[in-house]
Amino acid sequence: MDLDHLLLIVLTLLCTGLQAVTASEWGYWGKYGPKTWSELCATGRRQSPINIVTEDAIRIDLGALKFDRYDFAFSGKLINNGHTIQIKLDGIPIHLSGGSLPSVYVLEQMHFHWSAEHTVDGVRDPLELHLVHYNNQYANFSEAMQHEDGIVVVAVLFEVINNSDNQDLMPILETVKLVSNWVGKNTASMRNKLIPLLLLPKDHTTYYRYEGSLTTPGCQESVTWFVMTEKLPISEAQMNMFKHVQSNNGTLKYNYRPTQELGNRKVHHRLEGYNSTSSLYTSNIILVVNIFLVSLLYKNF
Ligand SMILES: *[C@@H]1O[C@H](CO)[C@@H](O)[C@H](O)[C@H]1NC(C)=O
Ligand SMILES: *[C@@H]1O[C@H](CO)[C@@H](O)[C@H](O)[C@H]1NC(C)=O
Ligand SMILES: *[C@@H]1O[C@H](CO)[C@@H](O)[C@H](O)[C@H]1NC(C)=O
Ligand SMILES: *[C@@H]1O[C@H](CO)[C@@H](O)[C@H](O)[C@H]1NC(C)=O
Ligand SMILES: [Zn+2]
């Protein structure tokens, strides 16, 4: 091997090493904030999150989402990865289907953003839960992430209504304390079992759906988003537990990405039984009947 070759190899190794460092160094403020996120995060055309303009959403019945095994009680682990609190459940896979999805999606993990990432008519709620699923046609999450139909995220918004605690968050929140203090990746098992169904609003049938991306680098454009219309309650005290989570750069005061351009995408608003074709048909009948009545009137005069 000559010197040029050796130099090339050394340079390549250095560059990939450097790239790995910069790729992992991202945050929500300061000199690594969202404005500096590169590649697809900067150049993509179907990025998330977005502001949902309810008036512009296309009302249509895309079918209900089917939450399979969400009602089982699962043990699991919490991870403070420095960017969020993530939950991984143990045991049998949990499945999502329906909602006009092309196949069955497997729950990979769930995590939180404070404040919420998706805004609705410009309003930002204090907390958003992401239930992240991958298409079971692919081997695993990282493989699915490379495909347009690879990932489905169900987003649930939380709001402070009467400031009473949400008991269904307790298995998570009692463990958040144990992983809050950043010492690199920090993991703890939940003491009590978690029923994922309780982290969904009672009304599973109404949601906003659009095509978007992951909201963290590298912002892969492989996500079908379902933002549930109904919100869940949370108290200020519970919110403060999230706001005290530590990262590698001080307290993780917030961890949401700003909203991105919708561009030429459409947001669909699923409403049970709403039939755009049949309502169009009905209004056509009304129109025809009206013309008929009007022509009858004219004949009589
Ligand atoms: C840490 O935060 C400070 C200010 O809050 C910011 O200037 C700095 O760039 C941040 N560093 C990293 C690695 O995010
Ligand atoms: C995911 O699947 C791909 C393709 O089968 C494989 O190459 C890769 O090692 C897997 N990754 C993980 C993290 O299991
Ligand atoms: C607060 O609201 C929740 C959910 O809507 C309800 O279950 C609870 O009883 C309310 N608590 C009080 C003190 O009003
Ligand atoms: C909606 O319309 C389709 C045909 O356009 C029809 O087959 C279906 O039964 C309708 N559903 C409802 C709930 O009206
Ligand atoms: Zn997320």
Side-chain angles (χ1 to χ4, degrees):
M1 196 187 301
D2 59 32
L3 200 63
D4 281 357
H5 267 101
L6 190 65
L7 202 63
L8 191 66
I9 290 169
V10 169
L11 272 177
T12 313
L13 283 176
L14 265 176
C15 285
T16 42
L18 282 175
Q19 221 167 18
V21 168
T22 46
S24 67
E25 268 194 271
W26 58 270
Y28 288 98
W29 61 84
K31 67 177 179 213
Y32 299 106
K35 284 202 187 88
T36 69
W37 298 358
S38 61
E39 294 168 21
L40 264 183
C41 304
T43 62
R45 305 222 157 247
R46 54 170 273 196
Q47 289 290 298
S48 294
I50 56 163
N51 174 45
I52 296 168
V53 180
T54 53
E55 202 169 87
D56 293 348
I58 299 167
R59 288 178 280 276
I60 185 171
D61 192 348
L62 297 164
L65 285 168
K66 276 173 59 188
F67 294 94
D68 191 21
R69 299 195 192 121
Y70 267 73
D71 53 340
F72 292 16
F74 292 88
S75 57
K77 283 184 189 63
L78 253 70
I79 303 153
N80 173 4
N81 64 15
H83 302 299
T84 187
I85 295 289
Q86 183 177 300
I87 300 132
K88 281 209 159 205
L89 301 178
D90 306 327
I92 53 170
I94 306 175
H95 288 159
L96 176 73
S97 60
S100 300
L101 288 171
S103 62
V104 173
Y105 289 73
V106 184
L107 183 67
E108 168 80 6
Q109 46 98 345
M110 41 190 153
H111 62 263
F112 293 92
H113 296 270
W114 53 90
S115 303
E117 298 207 294
H118 287 92
T119 56
V120 180
D121 293 329
V123 174
R124 190 181 300 283
D125 287 306
L127 186 74
E128 181 169 336
L129 166 67
H130 286 165
L131 299 132
V132 182
H133 310 73
Y134 71 91
N135 190 330
N136 76 347
Q137 302 297 298
Y138 304 115
N140 52 43
F141 178 78
S142 24
E143 169 68 22
M145 204 163 66
Q146 313 302 323
H147 299 269
E148 228 174 59
D149 60 352
I151 309 293
V152 167
V153 183
V154 174
V156 181
L157 298 168
F158 289 75
E159 59 183 346
V160 179
I161 302 171
N162 56 15
N163 210 18
S164 57
D165 286 347
N166 183 333
Q167 294 304 325
D168 299 325
L169 283 172
M170 278 318 186
I172 295 171
L173 284 174
E174 66 188 6
T175 317
V176 163
K177 290 180 216 158
L178 302 179
V179 297
S180 279
N181 295 322
W182 173 263
V183 282
K185 273 203 178 194
N186 203 343
T187 303
S189 293
M190 288 188 295
R191 229 184 315 150
N192 292 297
K193 289 195 171 177
L194 181 74
I195 302 173
L197 192 71
L198 299 178
L199 301 180
L200 295 170
K202 283 205 186 69
D203 178 5
H204 303 158
T205 61
T206 310
Y207 54 74
Y208 297 101
R209 178 191 157 141
Y210 78 98
E211 303 297 323
S213 72
L214 299 182
T215 64
T216 53
C219 305
Q220 284 87 347
E221 301 192 316
S222 53
V223 183
T224 301
W225 282 92
F226 290 90
V227 180
M228 304 308 284
T229 313
E230 194 190 328
K231 297 172 185 178
L232 289 179
I234 191 166
S235 68
E236 293 284 359
Q238 289 182 314
M239 274 313 308
N240 280 333
M241 294 170 79
F242 286 110
K243 289 180 188 161
H244 282 95
V245 169
Q246 300 299 306
S247 74
N248 60 352
N249 194 27
T251 307
L252 193 57
K253 296 177 294 259
Y254 56 90
N255 61 354
Y256 66 92
R257 185 189 192 195
T259 54
Q260 308 292 303
E261 289 297 323
L262 182 63
N264 56 14
R265 289 177 289 174
K266 296 276 182 281
V267 177
H268 290 102
H269 185 184
R270 193 263 168 162
L271 291 168
E272 176 124 55
Y274 201 97
N275 208 334
S276 50
T277 48
S278 81
S279 58
L280 194 65
Y281 180 65
T282 319
S283 58
N284 276 343
I285 290 184
I286 291 169
L287 188 67
V288 168
V289 170
N290 272 338
I291 291 171
F292 178 71
L293 287 176
V294 166
S295 66
L296 271 184
L297 273 174
Y298 273 93
K299 257 186 202 163
N300 285 340
F301 285 101

Short mmCIF file of all heavy atoms in Angstrom, two decimals, residues 107-130:
data_model
loop_
_atom_site.label_atom_id
_atom_site.label_comp_id
_atom_site.label_asym_id
_atom_site.label_seq_id
_atom_site.Cartn_x
_atom_site.Cartn_y
_atom_site.Cartn_z
N LEU A 107 -45.74 -1.65 17.50
CA LEU A 107 -45.28 -0.59 18.42
C LEU A 107 -43.82 -0.81 18.77
O LEU A 107 -43.44 -1.86 19.29
CB LEU A 107 -46.13 -0.58 19.69
CG LEU A 107 -45.80 0.52 20.70
CD1 LEU A 107 -46.14 1.90 20.16
CD2 LEU A 107 -46.52 0.29 22.02
N GLU A 108 -42.97 0.20 18.49
CA GLU A 108 -41.53 0.11 18.77
C GLU A 108 -41.21 0.76 20.12
O GLU A 108 -40.57 0.16 20.96
CB GLU A 108 -40.77 0.82 17.64
CG GLU A 108 -39.29 1.07 17.90
CD GLU A 108 -38.42 -0.15 17.68
OE1 GLU A 108 -38.94 -1.18 17.22
OE2 GLU A 108 -37.22 -0.07 17.98
N GLN A 109 -41.68 1.98 20.32
CA GLN A 109 -41.43 2.71 21.57
C GLN A 109 -42.39 3.87 21.65
O GLN A 109 -43.07 4.20 20.68
CB GLN A 109 -39.97 3.22 21.60
CG GLN A 109 -39.48 3.88 20.32
CD GLN A 109 -39.55 5.40 20.31
OE1 GLN A 109 -40.19 6.04 21.13
NE2 GLN A 109 -38.87 6.01 19.33
N MET A 110 -42.48 4.46 22.82
CA MET A 110 -43.21 5.73 22.94
C MET A 110 -42.36 6.72 23.70
O MET A 110 -41.47 6.34 24.46
CB MET A 110 -44.57 5.53 23.59
CG MET A 110 -44.62 4.59 24.74
SD MET A 110 -46.35 4.28 25.15
CE MET A 110 -46.23 2.68 25.85
N HIS A 111 -42.61 8.00 23.45
CA HIS A 111 -41.83 9.04 24.11
C HIS A 111 -42.64 10.33 24.15
O HIS A 111 -43.70 10.43 23.52
CB HIS A 111 -40.49 9.25 23.38
CG HIS A 111 -40.67 9.70 21.96
ND1 HIS A 111 -40.65 8.84 20.89
CD2 HIS A 111 -40.93 10.92 21.45
CE1 HIS A 111 -40.86 9.52 19.79
NE2 HIS A 111 -41.04 10.78 20.08
N PHE A 112 -42.12 11.32 24.86
CA PHE A 112 -42.87 12.56 25.08
C PHE A 112 -42.11 13.78 24.54
O PHE A 112 -40.88 13.79 24.50
CB PHE A 112 -43.09 12.77 26.58
CG PHE A 112 -44.01 11.75 27.21
CD1 PHE A 112 -43.50 10.59 27.78
CD2 PHE A 112 -45.38 11.96 27.23
CE1 PHE A 112 -44.34 9.65 28.36
CE2 PHE A 112 -46.23 11.03 27.81
CZ PHE A 112 -45.71 9.87 28.37
N HIS A 113 -42.89 14.78 24.16
CA HIS A 113 -42.33 16.10 23.85
C HIS A 113 -43.04 17.15 24.72
O HIS A 113 -44.26 17.14 24.82
CB HIS A 113 -42.56 16.46 22.38
CG HIS A 113 -41.85 15.55 21.43
ND1 HIS A 113 -40.56 15.78 20.99
CD2 HIS A 113 -42.24 14.39 20.86
CE1 HIS A 113 -40.19 14.79 20.17
NE2 HIS A 113 -41.19 13.94 20.07
N TRP A 114 -42.26 18.02 25.34
CA TRP A 114 -42.83 19.12 26.11
C TRP A 114 -42.14 20.37 25.64
O TRP A 114 -40.92 20.37 25.54
CB TRP A 114 -42.66 18.86 27.61
CG TRP A 114 -41.25 18.56 28.07
CD1 TRP A 114 -40.31 19.45 28.47
CD2 TRP A 114 -40.63 17.24 28.16
NE1 TRP A 114 -39.14 18.79 28.81
CE2 TRP A 114 -39.31 17.46 28.63
CE3 TRP A 114 -41.02 15.93 27.87
CZ2 TRP A 114 -38.40 16.39 28.82
CZ3 TRP A 114 -40.12 14.90 28.07
CH2 TRP A 114 -38.83 15.13 28.55
N SER A 115 -42.86 21.36 25.08
CA SER A 115 -44.30 21.38 24.84
C SER A 115 -44.64 20.47 23.65
O SER A 115 -43.75 19.85 23.07
CB SER A 115 -44.74 22.82 24.52
OG SER A 115 -44.35 23.68 25.57
N ALA A 116 -45.93 20.46 23.27
CA ALA A 116 -46.36 19.66 22.13
C ALA A 116 -45.66 20.13 20.85
O ALA A 116 -45.30 21.30 20.72
CB ALA A 116 -47.87 19.77 21.97
N GLU A 117 -45.47 19.20 19.90
CA GLU A 117 -44.86 19.55 18.61
C GLU A 117 -45.90 20.01 17.61
O GLU A 117 -45.70 20.97 16.88
CB GLU A 117 -44.09 18.35 18.08
CG GLU A 117 -42.95 17.93 18.99
CD GLU A 117 -41.83 17.23 18.26
OE1 GLU A 117 -42.06 16.13 17.75
OE2 GLU A 117 -40.73 17.82 18.21
N HIS A 118 -47.02 19.27 17.52
CA HIS A 118 -48.10 19.67 16.62
C HIS A 118 -48.94 20.75 17.30
O HIS A 118 -49.28 20.61 18.48
CB HIS A 118 -48.97 18.47 16.25
CG HIS A 118 -48.28 17.55 15.30
ND1 HIS A 118 -47.54 16.46 15.72
CD2 HIS A 118 -48.19 17.57 13.94
CE1 HIS A 118 -47.03 15.85 14.66
NE2 HIS A 118 -47.40 16.49 13.57
N THR A 119 -49.24 21.79 16.57
CA THR A 119 -50.16 22.80 17.08
C THR A 119 -51.46 22.67 16.30
O THR A 119 -51.46 22.22 15.15
CB THR A 119 -49.57 24.22 16.94
OG1 THR A 119 -49.24 24.45 15.56
CG2 THR A 119 -48.30 24.38 17.77
N VAL A 120 -52.57 23.02 16.94
CA VAL A 120 -53.88 22.95 16.28
C VAL A 120 -54.44 24.37 16.26
O VAL A 120 -54.63 24.97 17.32
CB VAL A 120 -54.83 21.99 17.02
CG1 VAL A 120 -56.19 21.94 16.33
CG2 VAL A 120 -54.22 20.59 17.10
N ASP A 121 -54.65 24.89 15.07
CA ASP A 121 -55.07 26.29 14.88
C ASP A 121 -54.17 27.23 15.69
O ASP A 121 -54.64 28.17 16.34
CB ASP A 121 -56.55 26.48 15.26
CG ASP A 121 -57.47 25.73 14.29
OD1 ASP A 121 -57.10 25.58 13.11
OD2 ASP A 121 -58.54 25.27 14.73
N GLY A 122 -52.88 26.94 15.68
CA GLY A 122 -51.90 27.82 16.32
C GLY A 122 -51.74 27.63 17.82
O GLY A 122 -50.90 28.28 18.44
N VAL A 123 -52.53 26.74 18.42
CA VAL A 123 -52.46 26.53 19.87
C VAL A 123 -51.50 25.39 20.19
O VAL A 123 -51.63 24.30 19.64
CB VAL A 123 -53.86 26.22 20.46
CG1 VAL A 123 -53.76 25.87 21.94
CG2 VAL A 123 -54.79 27.40 20.23
N ARG A 124 -50.54 25.67 21.09
CA ARG A 124 -49.58 24.64 21.50
C ARG A 124 -49.91 24.13 22.90
O ARG A 124 -49.94 24.90 23.84
CB ARG A 124 -48.15 25.21 21.47
CG ARG A 124 -47.08 24.14 21.64
CD ARG A 124 -45.67 24.72 21.65
NE ARG A 124 -45.31 25.43 20.43
CZ ARG A 124 -44.97 24.85 19.28
NH1 ARG A 124 -44.94 23.55 19.20
NH2 ARG A 124 -44.67 25.58 18.22
N ASP A 125 -50.18 22.83 23.01
CA ASP A 125 -50.47 22.22 24.30
C ASP A 125 -49.16 21.95 25.04
O ASP A 125 -48.08 21.97 24.45
CB ASP A 125 -51.25 20.91 24.10
CG ASP A 125 -52.69 21.19 23.68
OD1 ASP A 125 -53.37 21.94 24.39
OD2 ASP A 125 -53.11 20.69 22.62
N PRO A 126 -49.25 21.66 26.37
CA PRO A 126 -48.00 21.48 27.14
C PRO A 126 -47.25 20.18 26.85
O PRO A 126 -46.05 20.12 27.06
CB PRO A 126 -48.47 21.52 28.59
CG PRO A 126 -49.92 21.25 28.56
CD PRO A 126 -50.42 21.77 27.25
N LEU A 127 -47.97 19.12 26.36
CA LEU A 127 -47.31 17.82 26.24
C LEU A 127 -47.89 17.04 25.06
O LEU A 127 -49.08 17.14 24.76
CB LEU A 127 -47.53 17.01 27.53
CG LEU A 127 -46.79 15.68 27.65
CD1 LEU A 127 -45.31 15.91 27.92
CD2 LEU A 127 -47.39 14.82 28.79
N GLU A 128 -47.01 16.27 24.39
CA GLU A 128 -47.44 15.41 23.29
C GLU A 128 -46.75 14.05 23.43
O GLU A 128 -45.54 13.97 23.59
CB GLU A 128 -47.08 16.06 21.94
CG GLU A 128 -47.50 15.26 20.72
CD GLU A 128 -47.37 16.06 19.42
OE1 GLU A 128 -47.40 17.33 19.46
OE2 GLU A 128 -47.20 15.44 18.36
N LEU A 129 -47.57 13.00 23.38
CA LEU A 129 -47.05 11.63 23.44
C LEU A 129 -46.97 11.08 22.02
O LEU A 129 -47.91 11.24 21.24
CB LEU A 129 -47.99 10.76 24.28
CG LEU A 129 -47.82 9.24 24.19
CD1 LEU A 129 -46.48 8.80 24.80
CD2 LEU A 129 -48.98 8.52 24.91
N HIS A 130 -45.84 10.45 21.68
CA HIS A 130 -45.68 9.80 20.38
C HIS A 130 -45.59 8.29 20.56
O HIS A 130 -44.69 7.80 21.25
CB HIS A 130 -44.42 10.31 19.66
CG HIS A 130 -44.58 11.69 19.13
ND1 HIS A 130 -43.52 12.46 18.72
CD2 HIS A 130 -45.71 12.43 18.93
CE1 HIS A 130 -44.00 13.63 18.29
NE2 HIS A 130 -45.32 13.63 18.40
#
